[in-house]
Amino acid sequence: MRVLLIGANGYIGRFVADRLLADPAVQLTALGRGDDADVRFDLASGSPGALTRFLDAVHPGVVVNCAGATRGGARELTRHNTVAVATVCEALRRSGCGARLVQIGCSAEYGPSQPGSSTAEDAVPRPGGPYGVSKLAATELVLGSGLDAVVLRVFSPAGPGTPAGSPLGRLAEAMRRAMQSGDGELKLGGLGAQRDFVDVRDVARAVHAASLSAAQGVINIGSGRAVRLRDAAAVLARVAGYGGALHELDGPPGALRTAIGHPRPDPDHALPVAYPYPDGCGSWQQADVRTARDRLGWRPRIGLEESLADIWMEAACRI
């Protein structure tokens, strides 16, 4: 099976590449903007015609798109998350390769959920910010393309390689600094949000399964369990051996834009204080993962404690 992987040098893409390369039946070609890609191509600026010619030459059976942007203003997010996917869909429609498309979506497409609820794929998407809007637009392009395609809506990925600007990445960095300086207490803000964390290696397994399946439409990829960020902080402290006290800062969440529970804002496109949760997902998200189980035969295998241990191991190496 020939697989074309787009975005192989990204957070999720690196683990998808490892998973696919471990399958002896897969012949993998990586396409992306970096020098380490087999073929350099920028989806946001490249033409569908150029990509079509490449598809006709390589003739993949599956195209996996892990590319995209998580930070920046609305224009940049639209270019990299929506226009880029439009290019992929148009190129696949023009090509004679007949490849299946596996698109990586995200839980931000759903927006806030009712606390205590599990979000299924038939929920009406109400993204609360430009990132979620750009990813939802990409999903709608894929679903309306007429292609053999599936969109995996990934909830909050965790584990090795977690970006330093993510909530768990910032939490680990704050703990590393506290231990390095000998601080007996760690003051953290924005820990009230509850998110569904899923290990990035389990996400890669889901992508592999989706590549081999005939499933179409949208499929949630998550753990099926919401975890409060303050509870994740306590687990990380235990894993790290941090014996100090954890104190949560008071204050309105919208004012804590640099708090652990919030993504680091782009300095040129800072989110207004009016957004209490800059990821647009509100105080609660939890995936209903029954469709992944039934249609992909997939279940998460790696628990949050193992994911946090791997995040800590990488942070500790910076001491």
Short mmCIF file of all heavy atoms in Angstrom, two decimals, residues 63-121:
data_model
loop_
_atom_site.label_atom_id
_atom_site.label_comp_id
_atom_site.label_asym_id
_atom_site.label_seq_id
_atom_site.Cartn_x
_atom_site.Cartn_y
_atom_site.Cartn_z
N VAL A 63 -3.97 8.94 1.10
CA VAL A 63 -3.34 10.21 1.44
C VAL A 63 -3.75 10.56 2.86
O VAL A 63 -4.95 10.61 3.18
CB VAL A 63 -3.77 11.34 0.48
CG1 VAL A 63 -3.22 12.69 0.95
CG2 VAL A 63 -3.29 11.03 -0.94
N VAL A 64 -2.77 10.77 3.72
CA VAL A 64 -3.03 11.16 5.11
C VAL A 64 -2.58 12.60 5.28
O VAL A 64 -1.42 12.93 5.04
CB VAL A 64 -2.27 10.26 6.10
CG1 VAL A 64 -2.51 10.72 7.54
CG2 VAL A 64 -2.69 8.80 5.94
N ASN A 65 -3.50 13.46 5.71
CA ASN A 65 -3.16 14.88 5.87
C ASN A 65 -3.10 15.25 7.35
O ASN A 65 -4.12 15.42 8.01
CB ASN A 65 -4.18 15.77 5.17
CG ASN A 65 -3.79 17.25 5.27
OD1 ASN A 65 -2.62 17.58 5.44
ND2 ASN A 65 -4.77 18.12 5.17
N CYS A 66 -1.87 15.37 7.87
CA CYS A 66 -1.64 15.80 9.25
C CYS A 66 -1.19 17.26 9.32
O CYS A 66 -0.85 17.74 10.40
CB CYS A 66 -0.58 14.93 9.91
SG CYS A 66 -1.03 13.20 10.11
N ALA A 67 -1.14 17.94 8.18
CA ALA A 67 -0.61 19.30 8.15
C ALA A 67 -1.65 20.29 8.68
O ALA A 67 -2.85 20.03 8.66
CB ALA A 67 -0.21 19.67 6.72
N GLY A 68 -1.16 21.44 9.13
CA GLY A 68 -2.05 22.49 9.61
C GLY A 68 -1.34 23.40 10.58
O GLY A 68 -0.18 23.21 10.92
N ALA A 69 -2.04 24.43 11.00
CA ALA A 69 -1.51 25.40 11.96
C ALA A 69 -2.42 25.48 13.17
O ALA A 69 -3.64 25.38 13.05
CB ALA A 69 -1.39 26.79 11.30
N THR A 70 -1.83 25.63 14.34
CA THR A 70 -2.62 25.77 15.58
C THR A 70 -2.55 27.17 16.14
O THR A 70 -3.34 27.52 17.01
CB THR A 70 -2.12 24.79 16.65
OG1 THR A 70 -0.74 25.03 16.92
CG2 THR A 70 -2.30 23.35 16.19
N ARG A 71 -1.61 27.98 15.67
CA ARG A 71 -1.44 29.34 16.18
C ARG A 71 -1.45 30.33 15.03
O ARG A 71 -1.17 29.98 13.89
CB ARG A 71 -0.12 29.45 16.95
CG ARG A 71 -0.05 28.61 18.19
CD ARG A 71 1.33 28.67 18.80
NE ARG A 71 1.75 30.04 19.09
CZ ARG A 71 2.98 30.37 19.46
NH1 ARG A 71 3.92 29.44 19.57
NH2 ARG A 71 3.28 31.63 19.71
N GLY A 72 -1.74 31.59 15.38
CA GLY A 72 -1.75 32.65 14.39
C GLY A 72 -3.11 33.32 14.31
O GLY A 72 -4.06 32.96 15.01
N GLY A 73 -3.19 34.31 13.45
CA GLY A 73 -4.45 35.02 13.24
C GLY A 73 -5.38 34.25 12.33
O GLY A 73 -5.03 33.20 11.77
N ALA A 74 -6.58 34.79 12.16
CA ALA A 74 -7.60 34.11 11.36
C ALA A 74 -7.13 33.88 9.93
O ALA A 74 -7.40 32.83 9.33
CB ALA A 74 -8.89 34.92 11.38
N ARG A 75 -6.41 34.85 9.35
CA ARG A 75 -5.96 34.70 7.97
C ARG A 75 -4.98 33.54 7.83
O ARG A 75 -5.09 32.72 6.91
CB ARG A 75 -5.33 36.00 7.48
CG ARG A 75 -4.78 35.91 6.06
CD ARG A 75 -4.25 37.23 5.57
NE ARG A 75 -5.32 38.22 5.46
CZ ARG A 75 -5.13 39.47 5.04
NH1 ARG A 75 -3.92 39.88 4.72
NH2 ARG A 75 -6.15 40.31 4.95
N GLU A 76 -4.01 33.47 8.74
CA GLU A 76 -3.02 32.41 8.67
C GLU A 76 -3.65 31.04 8.92
O GLU A 76 -3.34 30.07 8.23
CB GLU A 76 -1.91 32.66 9.69
CG GLU A 76 -0.79 31.64 9.64
CD GLU A 76 0.32 31.94 10.63
OE1 GLU A 76 0.19 32.92 11.39
OE2 GLU A 76 1.31 31.19 10.64
N LEU A 77 -4.55 30.97 9.91
CA LEU A 77 -5.22 29.71 10.19
C LEU A 77 -6.05 29.24 9.01
O LEU A 77 -6.09 28.05 8.67
CB LEU A 77 -6.10 29.85 11.44
CG LEU A 77 -5.35 30.04 12.76
CD1 LEU A 77 -6.32 30.43 13.87
CD2 LEU A 77 -4.60 28.77 13.15
N THR A 78 -6.71 30.18 8.35
CA THR A 78 -7.52 29.83 7.18
C THR A 78 -6.66 29.30 6.04
O THR A 78 -7.00 28.32 5.38
CB THR A 78 -8.33 31.05 6.71
OG1 THR A 78 -9.19 31.48 7.77
CG2 THR A 78 -9.18 30.71 5.49
N ARG A 79 -5.51 29.94 5.83
CA ARG A 79 -4.61 29.49 4.75
C ARG A 79 -4.13 28.07 4.98
O ARG A 79 -4.17 27.23 4.08
CB ARG A 79 -3.40 30.43 4.64
CG ARG A 79 -3.67 31.76 3.98
CD ARG A 79 -2.40 32.59 3.87
NE ARG A 79 -1.40 31.93 3.05
CZ ARG A 79 -0.20 31.54 3.50
NH1 ARG A 79 0.13 31.72 4.76
NH2 ARG A 79 0.66 30.96 2.68
N HIS A 80 -3.66 27.81 6.19
CA HIS A 80 -3.01 26.52 6.46
C HIS A 80 -3.99 25.41 6.82
O HIS A 80 -3.66 24.23 6.65
CB HIS A 80 -1.98 26.68 7.57
CG HIS A 80 -0.79 27.50 7.16
ND1 HIS A 80 0.14 27.03 6.27
CD2 HIS A 80 -0.42 28.76 7.49
CE1 HIS A 80 1.07 27.96 6.08
NE2 HIS A 80 0.75 29.02 6.80
N ASN A 81 -5.17 25.76 7.31
CA ASN A 81 -6.11 24.72 7.74
C ASN A 81 -7.27 24.52 6.78
O ASN A 81 -7.88 23.45 6.76
CB ASN A 81 -6.67 25.05 9.12
CG ASN A 81 -5.62 25.00 10.21
OD1 ASN A 81 -4.59 24.36 10.05
ND2 ASN A 81 -5.85 25.71 11.30
N THR A 82 -7.62 25.55 6.00
CA THR A 82 -8.78 25.45 5.12
C THR A 82 -8.38 25.46 3.65
O THR A 82 -8.70 24.54 2.90
CB THR A 82 -9.78 26.59 5.40
OG1 THR A 82 -10.06 26.65 6.80
CG2 THR A 82 -11.07 26.36 4.64
N VAL A 83 -7.65 26.49 3.25
CA VAL A 83 -7.23 26.57 1.85
C VAL A 83 -6.36 25.36 1.49
O VAL A 83 -6.50 24.79 0.40
CB VAL A 83 -6.47 27.89 1.59
CG1 VAL A 83 -5.89 27.92 0.18
CG2 VAL A 83 -7.38 29.09 1.82
N ALA A 84 -5.49 24.97 2.40
CA ALA A 84 -4.62 23.82 2.14
C ALA A 84 -5.43 22.55 1.90
O ALA A 84 -5.11 21.75 1.00
CB ALA A 84 -3.66 23.62 3.33
N VAL A 85 -6.47 22.34 2.68
CA VAL A 85 -7.30 21.15 2.51
C VAL A 85 -8.11 21.24 1.22
O VAL A 85 -8.32 20.22 0.54
CB VAL A 85 -8.21 20.96 3.74
CG1 VAL A 85 -9.23 19.85 3.50
CG2 VAL A 85 -7.38 20.65 4.97
N ALA A 86 -8.53 22.44 0.85
CA ALA A 86 -9.21 22.61 -0.44
C ALA A 86 -8.29 22.19 -1.59
O ALA A 86 -8.73 21.56 -2.56
CB ALA A 86 -9.65 24.06 -0.61
N THR A 87 -7.00 22.52 -1.46
CA THR A 87 -6.02 22.12 -2.48
C THR A 87 -5.90 20.61 -2.56
O THR A 87 -5.88 20.03 -3.66
CB THR A 87 -4.65 22.74 -2.16
OG1 THR A 87 -4.76 24.16 -2.19
CG2 THR A 87 -3.59 22.29 -3.15
N VAL A 88 -5.85 19.95 -1.41
CA VAL A 88 -5.75 18.48 -1.38
C VAL A 88 -6.98 17.85 -2.03
O VAL A 88 -6.87 16.94 -2.87
CB VAL A 88 -5.57 17.97 0.06
CG1 VAL A 88 -5.65 16.44 0.10
CG2 VAL A 88 -4.25 18.45 0.64
N CYS A 89 -8.15 18.32 -1.64
CA CYS A 89 -9.38 17.73 -2.18
C CYS A 89 -9.48 17.92 -3.69
O CYS A 89 -9.85 16.99 -4.42
CB CYS A 89 -10.60 18.34 -1.48
SG CYS A 89 -10.79 17.87 0.25
N GLU A 90 -9.16 19.13 -4.16
CA GLU A 90 -9.25 19.39 -5.59
C GLU A 90 -8.24 18.56 -6.37
O GLU A 90 -8.55 18.02 -7.44
CB GLU A 90 -9.03 20.88 -5.86
CG GLU A 90 -9.13 21.28 -7.34
CD GLU A 90 -10.48 20.98 -7.95
OE1 GLU A 90 -11.49 20.87 -7.21
OE2 GLU A 90 -10.54 20.86 -9.19
N ALA A 91 -7.02 18.43 -5.82
CA ALA A 91 -6.01 17.62 -6.49
C ALA A 91 -6.43 16.16 -6.57
O ALA A 91 -6.24 15.49 -7.59
CB ALA A 91 -4.68 17.76 -5.77
N LEU A 92 -7.01 15.65 -5.50
CA LEU A 92 -7.47 14.25 -5.50
C LEU A 92 -8.62 14.05 -6.48
O LEU A 92 -8.71 13.00 -7.13
CB LEU A 92 -7.88 13.83 -4.09
CG LEU A 92 -6.73 13.51 -3.13
CD1 LEU A 92 -7.24 13.36 -1.71
CD2 LEU A 92 -6.02 12.22 -3.56
N ARG A 93 -9.50 15.04 -6.60
CA ARG A 93 -10.61 14.92 -7.56
C ARG A 93 -10.08 14.87 -9.00
O ARG A 93 -10.60 14.15 -9.85
CB ARG A 93 -11.59 16.08 -7.39
CG ARG A 93 -12.59 15.90 -6.26
CD ARG A 93 -13.74 16.88 -6.39
NE ARG A 93 -13.28 18.26 -6.26
CZ ARG A 93 -13.31 18.96 -5.14
NH1 ARG A 93 -13.77 18.39 -4.03
NH2 ARG A 93 -12.88 20.20 -5.11
N ARG A 94 -9.04 15.67 -9.27
CA ARG A 94 -8.49 15.71 -10.64
C ARG A 94 -7.62 14.49 -10.95
O ARG A 94 -7.50 14.10 -12.11
CB ARG A 94 -7.63 16.97 -10.81
CG ARG A 94 -8.37 18.28 -10.70
CD ARG A 94 -7.40 19.43 -10.95
NE ARG A 94 -7.98 20.73 -10.68
CZ ARG A 94 -7.33 21.88 -10.84
NH1 ARG A 94 -6.08 21.87 -11.28
NH2 ARG A 94 -7.93 23.04 -10.55
N SER A 95 -7.03 13.92 -9.93
CA SER A 95 -6.09 12.83 -10.15
C SER A 95 -6.80 11.53 -10.50
O SER A 95 -7.95 11.29 -10.11
CB SER A 95 -5.24 12.61 -8.88
OG SER A 95 -4.44 11.45 -9.00
N GLY A 96 -6.08 10.69 -11.19
CA GLY A 96 -6.62 9.37 -11.51
C GLY A 96 -6.20 8.31 -10.52
O GLY A 96 -6.45 7.12 -10.75
N CYS A 97 -5.57 8.71 -9.39
CA CYS A 97 -5.05 7.71 -8.45
C CYS A 97 -6.15 7.05 -7.62
O CYS A 97 -5.99 5.93 -7.14
CB CYS A 97 -4.00 8.33 -7.54
SG CYS A 97 -4.62 9.55 -6.35
N GLY A 98 -7.28 7.75 -7.43
CA GLY A 98 -8.39 7.19 -6.65
C GLY A 98 -8.05 6.95 -5.20
O GLY A 98 -8.60 6.05 -4.55
N ALA A 99 -7.14 7.76 -4.63
CA ALA A 99 -6.68 7.55 -3.26
C ALA A 99 -7.75 7.87 -2.23
O ALA A 99 -8.61 8.73 -2.43
CB ALA A 99 -5.44 8.40 -2.99
N ARG A 100 -7.68 7.15 -1.14
CA ARG A 100 -8.51 7.42 0.04
C ARG A 100 -7.85 8.55 0.82
O ARG A 100 -6.61 8.61 0.95
CB ARG A 100 -8.61 6.17 0.89
CG ARG A 100 -9.28 6.34 2.26
CD ARG A 100 -9.46 4.98 2.90
NE ARG A 100 -9.92 5.07 4.27
CZ ARG A 100 -11.19 5.32 4.63
NH1 ARG A 100 -12.09 5.54 3.71
NH2 ARG A 100 -11.55 5.34 5.91
N LEU A 101 -8.66 9.46 1.40
CA LEU A 101 -8.14 10.58 2.18
C LEU A 101 -8.46 10.39 3.65
O LEU A 101 -9.63 10.17 4.02
CB LEU A 101 -8.73 11.90 1.69
CG LEU A 101 -8.39 13.16 2.49
CD1 LEU A 101 -6.89 13.42 2.51
CD2 LEU A 101 -9.15 14.37 1.95
N VAL A 102 -7.42 10.47 4.49
CA VAL A 102 -7.59 10.48 5.94
C VAL A 102 -7.18 11.87 6.42
O VAL A 102 -6.00 12.23 6.36
CB VAL A 102 -6.74 9.40 6.63
CG1 VAL A 102 -6.94 9.46 8.15
CG2 VAL A 102 -7.10 8.02 6.10
N GLN A 103 -8.15 12.65 6.85
CA GLN A 103 -7.92 14.03 7.27
C GLN A 103 -7.92 14.10 8.81
O GLN A 103 -8.79 13.53 9.46
CB GLN A 103 -9.02 14.94 6.71
CG GLN A 103 -9.11 16.32 7.32
CD GLN A 103 -7.96 17.23 6.94
OE1 GLN A 103 -7.23 16.95 5.99
NE2 GLN A 103 -7.79 18.31 7.67
N ILE A 104 -6.93 14.81 9.38
CA ILE A 104 -6.88 15.00 10.82
C ILE A 104 -7.64 16.25 11.19
O ILE A 104 -7.25 17.37 10.84
CB ILE A 104 -5.42 15.09 11.33
CG1 ILE A 104 -4.63 13.86 10.91
CG2 ILE A 104 -5.41 15.24 12.85
CD1 ILE A 104 -5.20 12.55 11.38
N GLY A 105 -8.77 16.06 11.87
CA GLY A 105 -9.55 17.17 12.40
C GLY A 105 -9.25 17.36 13.87
O GLY A 105 -8.29 16.81 14.41
N CYS A 106 -10.07 18.14 14.56
CA CYS A 106 -9.81 18.37 15.98
C CYS A 106 -11.10 18.67 16.73
O CYS A 106 -12.11 19.06 16.14
CB CYS A 106 -8.81 19.52 16.17
SG CYS A 106 -9.52 21.12 15.82
N SER A 107 -11.04 18.49 18.04
CA SER A 107 -12.23 18.67 18.88
C SER A 107 -12.66 20.12 18.96
O SER A 107 -13.80 20.40 19.34
CB SER A 107 -11.96 18.13 20.28
OG SER A 107 -10.91 18.86 20.91
N ALA A 108 -11.77 21.07 18.61
CA ALA A 108 -12.15 22.48 18.63
C ALA A 108 -13.27 22.78 17.64
O ALA A 108 -13.94 23.81 17.75
CB ALA A 108 -10.93 23.36 18.34
N GLU A 109 -13.48 21.87 16.70
CA GLU A 109 -14.58 22.04 15.76
C GLU A 109 -15.93 21.99 16.46
O GLU A 109 -16.91 22.59 16.02
CB GLU A 109 -14.52 20.96 14.68
CG GLU A 109 -13.27 21.01 13.83
CD GLU A 109 -13.17 19.84 12.87
OE1 GLU A 109 -14.20 19.48 12.27
OE2 GLU A 109 -12.08 19.27 12.72
N TYR A 110 -16.01 21.24 17.55
CA TYR A 110 -17.27 21.13 18.29
C TYR A 110 -17.55 22.37 19.12
O TYR A 110 -18.71 22.74 19.32
CB TYR A 110 -17.24 19.92 19.22
CG TYR A 110 -17.33 18.59 18.53
CD1 TYR A 110 -16.32 17.64 18.67
CD2 TYR A 110 -18.43 18.25 17.75
CE1 TYR A 110 -16.40 16.40 18.05
CE2 TYR A 110 -18.52 17.02 17.12
CZ TYR A 110 -17.49 16.10 17.27
OH TYR A 110 -17.58 14.88 16.66
N GLY A 111 -16.51 22.99 19.67
CA GLY A 111 -16.70 24.09 20.59
C GLY A 111 -17.09 23.59 21.97
O GLY A 111 -16.90 22.40 22.29
N PRO A 112 -17.63 24.46 22.82
CA PRO A 112 -17.96 24.07 24.19
C PRO A 112 -19.04 22.99 24.25
O PRO A 112 -19.91 22.91 23.39
CB PRO A 112 -18.47 25.37 24.82
CG PRO A 112 -17.96 26.46 23.93
CD PRO A 112 -17.91 25.88 22.56
N SER A 113 -18.94 22.15 25.29
CA SER A 113 -19.93 21.09 25.51
C SER A 113 -20.53 21.25 26.89
O SER A 113 -19.95 21.87 27.78
CB SER A 113 -19.26 19.71 25.39
OG SER A 113 -18.67 19.54 24.13
N GLN A 114 -21.69 20.65 27.08
CA GLN A 114 -22.34 20.68 28.38
C GLN A 114 -21.54 19.85 29.37
O GLN A 114 -21.21 18.69 29.10
CB GLN A 114 -23.76 20.10 28.26
CG GLN A 114 -24.59 20.16 29.54
CD GLN A 114 -24.97 21.58 29.91
OE1 GLN A 114 -25.06 22.45 29.06
NE2 GLN A 114 -25.19 21.82 31.21
N PRO A 115 -21.15 20.42 30.52
CA PRO A 115 -20.39 19.64 31.51
C PRO A 115 -21.09 18.33 31.86
O PRO A 115 -22.30 18.28 32.06
CB PRO A 115 -20.34 20.59 32.73
CG PRO A 115 -20.40 21.95 32.13
CD PRO A 115 -21.34 21.82 30.95
N GLY A 116 -20.30 17.27 31.88
CA GLY A 116 -20.83 15.95 32.18
C GLY A 116 -21.25 15.15 30.96
O GLY A 116 -21.51 13.96 31.06
N SER A 117 -21.29 15.80 29.79
CA SER A 117 -21.75 15.13 28.58
C SER A 117 -20.57 14.56 27.78
O SER A 117 -19.43 14.97 27.95
CB SER A 117 -22.53 16.09 27.69
OG SER A 117 -21.67 17.10 27.18
N SER A 118 -20.89 13.60 26.91
CA SER A 118 -19.92 13.08 25.95
C SER A 118 -20.36 13.52 24.56
O SER A 118 -21.52 13.34 24.19
CB SER A 118 -19.85 11.55 26.01
OG SER A 118 -19.29 11.12 27.23
N THR A 119 -19.44 14.07 23.80
CA THR A 119 -19.76 14.62 22.49
C THR A 119 -19.63 13.54 21.42
O THR A 119 -18.55 12.98 21.23
CB THR A 119 -18.84 15.80 22.14
OG1 THR A 119 -18.97 16.80 23.15
CG2 THR A 119 -19.20 16.39 20.80
N ALA A 120 -20.73 13.24 20.75
CA ALA A 120 -20.72 12.27 19.65
C ALA A 120 -20.58 12.99 18.32
O ALA A 120 -20.70 14.22 18.24
CB ALA A 120 -22.00 11.44 19.68
N GLU A 121 -20.34 12.22 17.27
CA GLU A 121 -20.07 12.80 15.96
C GLU A 121 -21.27 13.53 15.37
O GLU A 121 -21.09 14.38 14.48
CB GLU A 121 -19.62 11.71 14.99
CG GLU A 121 -18.24 11.13 15.29
CD GLU A 121 -18.24 10.04 16.34
OE1 GLU A 121 -19.33 9.74 16.91
OE2 GLU A 121 -17.16 9.47 16.58
#
